[in-house]
Amino acid sequence: MGERFPHASVTKVASAIAVLVVVEAGRCALDDEVGPPGATLAHLLSHASGLPTDGATPIAAPGTRRIYSNTGIEIAVAHAAAASRATPTELVTSRVFEPLGMRETALTGSAASGAIGPTEDLCALAAELLLPTLLSPQLAATQRTVAYPGLVGVLPGFGRQVPCDWGLGLEVKGSKRPHWTGETWPSSTVGHFGQSGGFVVADVEAGIAIVTLGDERFGTWSTSAWPAFTDAVRASH
């Protein structure tokens, strides 16, 4: 197996799927009231709960703005874990890493950013986005569908987006400009990148996915290299 790298916010993809596995099992529901008053599990997973990036004090009413929130994801995973009588680490490991054969990947900290593992394992997660095995086709499609359409927000590193589309734990490309994927990737593209310099991206309709991990933190190099790289991969498909 290859060298292990931090996933940073790419962790959120596995964590969100773990939550949805518990939802599908009937142990919790997307409309459960969780987090700030008026917020639901769906709000938390789609960064629409009103919580800030880090911190438990809301800065907006639920469903009014797209505010990227690590805290929101952590609360969502904790809720599903409690419903499963597990810790967040146990939940993500047993519901996602183990069934997908991600044997060298571990959640070592926050459910929003604490995974570490090799690129080979991350490929299994990308394959799950293309051909779901852990979720029903219906719930997987819901995860890829924009939640609370039309919300304005900021895509970290790329500025204010109108709208700032997001599914349940997955970013939906939508009409965002600028964006970290290239011009040939459609609006239905889903994925996530992390501050550690890696990403997973998938075009489900075309059956194309890309994963990267590394030791160069997200920066200006990413905003120029990633769009060109993703377009080049797509052109060679």
Side-chain angles (χ1 to χ4, degrees), residues 4-137:
R4 299 168 84 213
F5 295 98
H7 290 192
S9 284
V10 177
T11 304
K12 292 179 176 69
V13 177
S15 291
I17 292 174
V19 172
L20 293 177
V21 170
V22 178
V23 168
E24 191 130 61
R27 295 181 180 176
C28 62
L30 290 173
D31 59 1
D32 285 354
E33 294 186 5
V34 192
T40 66
L41 188 60
H43 283 115
L44 294 170
L45 289 173
S46 60
H47 302 288
S49 69
L51 288 169
T53 301
D54 295 291
T57 302
I59 58 176
T64 60
R65 287 171 56 194
R66 193 82 66 187
I67 304 170
Y68 186 81
S69 178
N70 293 316
T71 303
I73 297 298
E74 291 166 352
I75 294 172
V77 176
H79 178 72
S84 302
R85 298 182 179 180
T87 67
T89 295
E90 290 168 344
L91 181 77
V92 177
T93 301
S94 64
R95 299 300 197 275
V96 178
F97 295 160
E98 289 178 352
L100 294 184
M102 299 172 66
R103 297 179 181 84
E104 300 299 318
T105 300
L107 183 60
T108 61
S110 166
S113 60
I116 183 171
T119 306
E120 292 89 339
D121 274 9
L122 195 57
C123 287
L125 189 62
E128 176 66 17
L129 294 180
L130 294 179
L131 292 171
T133 62
L134 304 179
L135 301 176
S136 67

Side-chain angles (χ1 to χ4, degrees), residues 191-213:
H192 217 297
F193 71 84
Q195 288 297 314
S196 59
F199 66 77
V200 55
V201 63
D203 176 354
V204 175
E205 292 183 6
I208 304 171
I210 307 172
V211 302
T212 69
L213 290 172

Side-chain angles (χ1 to χ4, degrees), residues 9-10 12-13 16 42-48 65-70 73 141-156 158-159 161 163-176 179-180 187 189-193:
S9 284
V10 177
K12 292 179 176 69
V13 177
H43 283 115
L44 294 170
L45 289 173
S46 60
H47 302 288
R65 287 171 56 194
R66 193 82 66 187
I67 304 170
Y68 186 81
S69 178
N70 293 316
I73 297 298
T142 297
Q143 184 184 26
R144 299 191 303 267
T145 300
V146 179
Y148 312 104
L151 296 187
V152 175
V154 174
L155 179 62
F158 292 88
Q161 305 287 336
C164 189
D165 289 341
W166 220 276
L168 300 176
L170 292 174
E171 185 201 341
V172 180
K173 181 177 181 179
S175 59
K176 298 187 186 82
H179 195 258
W180 52 279
S187 60
T189 296
V190 294
H192 217 297
F193 71 84

